[in-house]
Amino acid sequence: MYVKKVAVVGAGTMGADIAYSLAMANIPVVLRDVDENALQRAQEHIRHVMQGRVDKGRLSPQEAEKRFAQIRFSAQDKDLYDVSVAIEAVPEKMALKQQVFRELDRILPPLAILASNTSALSISEMANATTRPERVAGMHFFYPAHTMKLVEIIAGDSTDQDVLDTLTRLSEELRKIPVVVKECPGFVVNRILTASMAEVMRFKAEHHVSAHDIDAVITKNHLAPMGPFVLADALGLDIAWDVANTLQKAYGDRFYPGPELGELVQQHHLGVKTGQGFYSYTTPEANASLKSAPFTPEQEHDLIDQFTMATFMEAARVFEEGIASARSIDIAMRAGAGLPTGPLALADSMGLDVVYEKLTKMTKRLGERFTPPASLKERVERGQLGVKTSRGYFNY
Ligand SMILES: NC(=O)c1ccc[n+]([C@@H]2O[C@H](COP(=O)([O-])OP(=O)(O)OC[C@H]3O[C@@H](n4cnc5c(N)ncnc54)[C@H](O)[C@@H]3O)[C@@H](O)[C@H]2O)c1
């Protein structure tokens, strides 16, 4: 389907950046909000980001004006009559999202696509609030949406293929990397990241080590671009806690992050936004006492194994449930979480027999959550051991 014009509904943190990305691709946008002040703030934010590009010499002032003029900041229904795609980015509450979807269903042309930027809510439930469930899908951008490359395109129970194709092409026009996934709590990236975060939290509680020292091991060994505790503080510990609880309800105790995260949230220590989380953001010296006794080489080795294997295990489950292809999972984890290698390709390069053996030992030591997944077992039994046999999760 040809996308002539896009509406972004909700001009907050995500909506403003999504509108910016569309305007930069020269696609006409209507940015809509119930709050006049939010529209005003979005306008200032978009001008500021564009000016940043002008200052760096990446955009001429004339081009910046032209792109900015693609956006209409409006709360009026008549500006939506010729929209091909609407991207909803209102707060994460199902009742509100359904209300917005009902409204868009009433105003937009019958074939227009209704997409949601939800982090975790059910696309099918939103779709069921409309008369066109087959034209509804998820289009999940990552924060900050003007720089992060990944977009998860999520199929609900009845989403048309044409809708997924159109949203994939639209993402590519925005110079983003789309991956198509099926609906499941947490989708791909947040689900896998939260599983590895819960494992690291458990390690912290069991070994009485500091967030600082764990983050240092993760980054020193190039397992992720930033430590999980720095990342959680940046995203907001209240959000991390909500997501962990939702995923624990959906998938069980491997997502239980331990008591510390909940305690911090209760004390309103929510990370960067409140000045205190796992780290303190008041003065540079405030974190001086965070270092614990140095890790023993054995502890460091265990942490690396627990982090990489928890990441691999959740990726393998997502793969086995048919939520996304091996390729999409690895692309999503590289583009959305910044991992240097996708978790399935990493297992292939380690050797699937080696991974199998490691997990068998970890199951004995740490429990059932490390039981080797069926897809791994099958491959090992068939002698498909990854890179060294030219076949594993991928062909080489
Ligand atoms: N912030 C993130 O890091 C992030 C990342 C990925 C996805 N998301 C998801 O994106 C969505 C929006 O998150 P956000 O952080 O941008 O929220 P936000 O609170 O910054 O912005 C939401 C905006 O929606 C507006 N709004 C409320 N009701 C409305 C209505 N009926 N019609 C039009 N506008 C309305 C609000 O006035 C506000 O400006 C959520 O579903 C969230 O889970 C957020």
Side-chain angles (χ1 to χ4, degrees):
M1 186 178 120
Y2 174 66
V3 176
K4 186 173 153 203
K5 181 173 163 187
V6 176
V8 178
V9 182
T13 311
M14 295 301 286
D17 275 347
I18 296 169
Y20 163 86
S21 303
L22 288 155
M24 288 301 285
N26 274 319
I27 298 170
V29 196
V30 183
L31 183 55
R32 177 179 169 100
D33 202 293
V34 284
D35 179 358
E36 272 297 325
N37 292 330
L39 281 178
Q40 185 60 40
R41 280 195 303 274
Q43 198 159 340
E44 285 160 16
H45 171 75
I46 294 169
R47 277 235 180 258
H48 175 75
V49 180
M50 282 190 182
Q51 189 56 44
R53 291 186 69 86
V54 171
D55 293 345
K56 283 186 189 144
R58 296 199 182 141
L59 191 68
S60 71
Q62 296 77 3
E63 269 303 313
E65 272 314 312
K66 218 173 109 195
R67 311 272 163 107
F68 188 78
Q70 294 284 11
I71 310 173
R72 195 175 176 89
F73 299 84
S74 162
Q76 297 195 18
D77 290 358
K78 69 176 171 48
D79 287 314
L80 300 183
Y81 291 159
D82 56 346
V83 154
S84 332
V85 175
I87 303 170
E88 165 280 307
V90 304
E92 188 83 343
K93 300 268 180 290
M94 180 53 84
L96 176 62
K97 302 242 185 216
Q98 286 183 326
Q99 178 205 319
V100 168
F101 270 71
R102 251 180 244 118
E103 193 177 295
L104 293 172
D105 188 32
R106 183 173 48 79
I107 305 170
L108 263 56
L111 284 181
I113 294 172
L114 310 182
S116 172
N117 184 49
T118 179
S119 306
L121 298 175
S122 161
I123 300 301
S124 303
E125 257 182 74
M126 285 176 226
N128 289 339
T130 73
T131 60
R132 59 178 99 186
E134 68 290 347
R135 308 299 292 164
V136 176
M139 191 174 189
H140 182 209
F141 292 80
F142 286 74
Y143 174 80
H146 67 285
T147 53
M148 287 297 282
K149 286 288 180 198
L150 184 69
V151 182
E152 288 178 329
I153 311 279
I154 302 132
D157 290 342
S158 34
T159 311
D160 276 351
Q161 185 60 44
D162 156 61
V163 168
L164 302 174
D165 294 344
T166 302
L167 295 181
T168 299
R169 269 199 313 277
L170 177 61
S171 308
E172 283 166 352
E173 268 189 75
L174 306 187
R175 306 175 70 100
K176 304 272 183 204
I177 301 173
V179 296
V180 176
V181 311
K182 284 200 193 123
E183 185 166 19
C184 72
F187 311 131
V188 172
V189 173
N190 286 341
R191 175 172 166 181
I192 297 175
L193 267 186
T194 308
S196 49
M197 179 69 193
E199 190 58 38
V200 167
M201 290 288 301
R202 209 174 276 131
F203 185 93
K204 181 175 186 302
E206 285 167 7
H207 292 258
H208 308 290
V209 288
S210 72
H212 172 275
D213 291 351
I214 292 181
D215 280 353
V217 169
I218 303 277
T219 47
K220 187 181 78 184
N221 288 284
H222 308 292
L223 306 182
M226 63 172 86
F229 295 98
V230 171
L231 178 65
D233 270 1
L235 291 177
L237 298 189
D238 48 342
I239 295 173
W241 177 243
D242 282 350
V243 174
N245 279 305
T246 307
L247 297 186
Q248 188 191 356
K249 265 192 214 117
Y251 302 113
D253 278 347
R254 66 177 187 274
F255 281 92
Y256 176 59
E260 190 181 352
L261 184 57
E263 281 160 19
L264 285 169
V265 172
Q266 217 165 21
Q267 294 157 11
H268 204 64
H269 294 326
L270 307 181
V272 177
K273 63 187 166 189
T274 62
Q276 178 70 51
F278 289 105
Y279 293 86
S280 178
Y281 300 89
T282 45
T283 58
E285 307 81 54
N287 292 314
S289 62
L290 274 183
K291 285 185 191 150
S292 48
F295 272 36
T296 62
E298 194 189 16
Q299 266 181 330
E300 180 160 344
H301 181 264
D302 285 350
L303 173 61
I304 294 170
D305 273 357
Q306 280 176 242
F307 181 82
T308 45
M309 289 299 107
T311 309
F312 164 73
M313 290 290 297
E314 205 57 39
R317 290 185 188 104
V318 169
F319 171 73
E320 287 170 15
E321 289 167 25
I323 302 296
S325 66
R327 187 169 170 274
S328 293
I329 293 169
D330 272 19
I331 289 175
M333 291 311 290
R334 285 166 53 203
L339 298 191
T341 311
L344 299 174
L346 181 65
D348 273 356
S349 68
M350 288 168 76
L352 297 188
D353 49 344
V354 175
V355 173
Y356 187 88
E357 205 147 294
K358 198 185 269 298
L359 286 172
T360 308
K361 284 189 190 144
M362 288 172 78
T363 310
K364 284 198 193 113
R365 195 163 57 82
L366 299 163
E368 293 298 307
R369 67 184 185 277
F370 286 106
T371 305
S375 56
L376 178 70
K377 190 160 182 269
E378 279 160 23
R379 282 167 175 72
V380 170
E381 280 168 2
R382 287 200 297 254
Q384 295 171 351
L385 306 180
V387 176
K388 61 187 168 191
T389 61
S390 306
R391 278 196 84 167
Y393 282 95
F394 298 96
N395 291 333
Y396 298 89

